[in-house]
Amino acid sequence: MNLIENFKEGLRSVQANMLRSVLTALIVAIGITSLVGIFTAIDGIEMTVADSFASLGVNTFDIQSYNNRKSNREGVVEKSYPPLQLNEALDFIKQYNVPSTISINAQASFAAEVKRLSKKTNPNVSVEGINADYMAIKGLDFTQGRNLSMLEMENASNVIVLGSEIVKALFEKNEDPINSKVTVLGTQFKVIGTLAEKGRLAGTNYDNTIFVPIKKANQLADGRQLYYQMSVGVTNFEQFDYAMGEATGLMRIIRHDRVGQGNSFELSKSETLSESTAKITGYLSIGGFAVGFITLLGASIALMNIMLVSVTERTREVGVRKALGATPLRIRQQFVIEAIVVCLIGGILGVFFGILIGNGIASLIGIKQFIVPWLWMFMGILVCVFVGLISGYYPAHKASKLDPIESLRFE
């Protein structure tokens, strides 16, 4: 009896014991469904997060003023450094020679009120001074109008870009906000663009923010110190560490930091948010694997029990086969293949339902892409074969050791 005949016999055995085989296959299917379903949802989450970070520019690092802490360490007061100045940030952009996109921003107010005719917003609007590259670095899209121009930056023009919540508060649905006038902090601005809804991200509510040229924000501060921050988006990720090193060296020169003295500014990778999200999805993966493993362990025990019952029921059949010349190896192959066939049927069902359930979960949390996890499909089928092999080997070994004469006498 060759392998193909053993496989056919496995299918015939499944058909002969349909209810038992279906119940066993369903147990396996539940385990594979949980395994593939959870990992499909996680893949969807990771793809969405990756797209979000791509639009934000994961390959970015921030340069900002040193956080002057008031606490003492072992009685020693930490050195205080002056905040980053606008002219220093502009000098950095001019002199930095690594291929990159650099944005500047500073918050002129976090409690402003925007007025237009008889309408006004709540006094909780953030006023952000930016340069022309800020929108690209932060992944902000326009619904109408355009971005701030370099000329408007240089001249500190009275132009403004509105977040989506501001537009809703000041304009009717069919009303065009472009070229209209709004008043902020006692200054009238011309609206040149409106942004698509972005939501709150990393503590910033872009929808409730208005954007003006960085030099105009400096004027609106009316002598108050603004805390400027630069975001450097590196073009080639392979140069990321080199780019950070070059930025550190250049900023030390611009800030006149002495040799042996610490940096008077702070550099931070935007990657850290991506790494934190990767940790969360990693925990979800471990949880999903644990659930699937426990379910599959139960399925393997149930399958082994059913195969042992099958050996007992088919003792006479085994005796006939041995009497006709079947070797112990072929008998083992027959029962192991039967176990694998049952597991594969359950595995295919599990993969199918796992993809559907995983994409259903992903769609519930706002992920529109349909994910086909080829890796986890392959792993699911591989796990099924492994479970069938482990669960079927002991019953198969027991069957192969049966005495053919005693087996023929079995009733």
Side-chain angles (χ1 to χ4, degrees):
M1 184 183 287
N2 56 30
L3 285 174
I4 296 175
E5 186 60 34
N6 271 326
F7 189 80
K8 290 179 180 178
E9 183 60 31
L11 289 175
R12 284 194 289 268
S13 176
V14 168
Q15 290 175 342
N17 302 279
M18 184 62 72
L19 180 60
R20 185 173 65 192
S21 300
V22 168
L23 290 175
T24 308
L26 283 176
I27 297 172
V28 177
I30 291 169
I32 297 298
T33 297
S34 61
L35 195 67
V36 175
I38 290 173
F39 282 114
T40 300
I42 290 171
D43 283 351
I45 293 168
E46 288 178 342
M47 285 179 66
T48 303
V49 170
D51 291 343
S52 298
F53 284 147
S55 67
L56 287 175
V58 177
N59 305 336
T60 66
F61 59 89
D62 297 330
I63 306 173
Q64 57 193 359
S65 300
Y66 186 82
N67 185 11
N68 294 312
R69 302 168 181 87
K70 301 297 182 182
S71 60
N72 297 348
R73 290 183 180 176
E74 299 178 358
V76 179
V77 179
E78 287 191 356
K79 184 175 177 60
S80 178
Y81 295 102
L84 183 66
Q85 302 296 320
L86 179 58
N87 64 320
E88 293 173 338
L90 295 175
D91 286 344
F92 176 86
I93 292 175
K94 289 178 183 177
Q95 299 178 40
Y96 192 61
N97 56 13
V98 178
S100 57
T101 303
I102 306 173
S103 71
I104 311 175
N105 67 288
Q107 193 175 54
S109 175
F110 60 88
E113 184 180 69
V114 186
K115 300 177 182 178
R116 175 183 174 264
L117 302 177
S118 60
K119 294 184 178 181
K120 61 182 179 180
T121 65
N122 292 327
N124 62 348
V125 176
S126 295
V127 180
E128 199 79 19
I130 62 171
N131 70 342
D133 291 322
Y134 180 85
M135 301 298 184
I137 287 283
K138 297 301 179 183
L140 300 176
D141 299 319
F142 285 84
T143 54
Q144 289 179 282
R146 60 176 177 83
N147 194 8
L148 303 168
S149 68
M150 292 299 296
L151 185 61
E152 289 165 342
M153 296 291 169
E154 291 295 328
N155 296 334
S157 303
N158 288 7
V159 292
I160 195 168
V161 175
L162 306 179
S164 61
E165 289 183 12
I166 313 301
V167 175
K168 290 176 184 177
L170 300 180
F171 298 90
E172 300 297 333
K173 285 186 178 180
N174 56 352
E175 201 171 5
D176 185 6
I178 304 303
N179 295 325
S180 60
K181 305 290 184 180
V182 296
T183 302
V184 183
L185 300 177
T187 304
Q188 192 175 69
F189 290 87
K190 176 185 175 182
V191 178
I192 61 169
T194 61
L195 297 178
E197 188 173 344
K198 185 74 172 180
R200 183 179 292 275
L201 191 63
T204 303
N205 186 359
Y206 292 102
D207 299 335
N208 197 43
T209 303
I210 57 176
F211 302 91
V212 300
I214 189 71
K215 290 185 178 180
K216 175 54 67 174
N218 203 26
Q219 295 173 6
L220 293 174
D222 197 23
R224 178 172 53 85
Q225 173 63 52
L226 295 183
Y227 290 89
Y228 299 95
Q229 176 177 308
M230 289 185 289
S231 293
V232 182
V234 183
T235 303
N236 184 2
F237 181 69
E238 293 179 357
Q239 290 187 308
F240 192 80
D241 292 333
Y242 167 75
M244 285 193 70
E246 287 291 299
T248 302
L250 179 57
M251 280 302 297
R252 287 183 65 86
I253 294 171
I254 292 173
R255 299 272 290 174
H256 305 293
D257 293 344
R258 296 178 181 178
V259 176
Q261 175 186 325
N263 294 335
S264 61
F265 53 91
E266 289 185 328
L267 266 76
S268 58
K269 291 183 181 180
S270 296
E271 281 183 317
T272 52
L273 185 58
S274 176
E275 290 167 359
S276 299
T277 307
K279 286 182 181 179
I280 294 170
T281 54
Y283 295 143
L284 289 173
S285 300
I286 293 170
F289 180 80
V291 171
F293 176 77
I294 292 169
T295 310
L296 286 170
L297 182 63
S300 64
I301 294 170
L303 180 61
M304 184 181 293
N305 181 55
I306 287 171
M307 292 305 297
L308 285 170
V309 172
S310 179
V311 168
T312 303
E313 289 179 348
R314 296 162 65 187
T315 301
R316 189 176 181 84
E317 177 191 327
V318 172
V320 171
R321 294 193 181 206
K322 281 199 165 187
L324 293 173
T327 63
L329 175 61
R330 291 305 182 193
I331 297 296
R332 283 197 299 270
Q333 285 178 348
Q334 178 190 344
F335 283 92
V336 167
I337 288 172
E338 285 182 24
I340 291 174
V341 166
V342 171
C343 281
L344 283 175
I345 293 171
I348 292 169
L349 287 172
V351 167
F352 177 73
F353 287 115
I355 292 172
L356 291 181
I357 292 172
N359 280 283
I361 294 170
S363 65
L364 287 175
I365 57 178
I367 299 169
K368 297 179 180 179
Q369 292 174 300
F370 188 84
I371 310 298
V372 180
W374 296 106
L375 173 63
W376 298 114
M377 288 170 62
F378 174 76
M379 288 297 294
I381 298 299
L382 198 64
V383 166
C384 286
V385 174
F386 180 74
V387 168
L389 188 63
I390 296 299
S391 302
Y393 183 78
Y394 175 69
H397 180 73
K398 184 180 177 181
S400 69
K401 295 298 182 183
L402 290 174
D403 184 85
I405 296 174
E406 293 298 326
S407 299
L408 288 170
R409 288 176 181 172
F410 184 83
E411 292 295 337

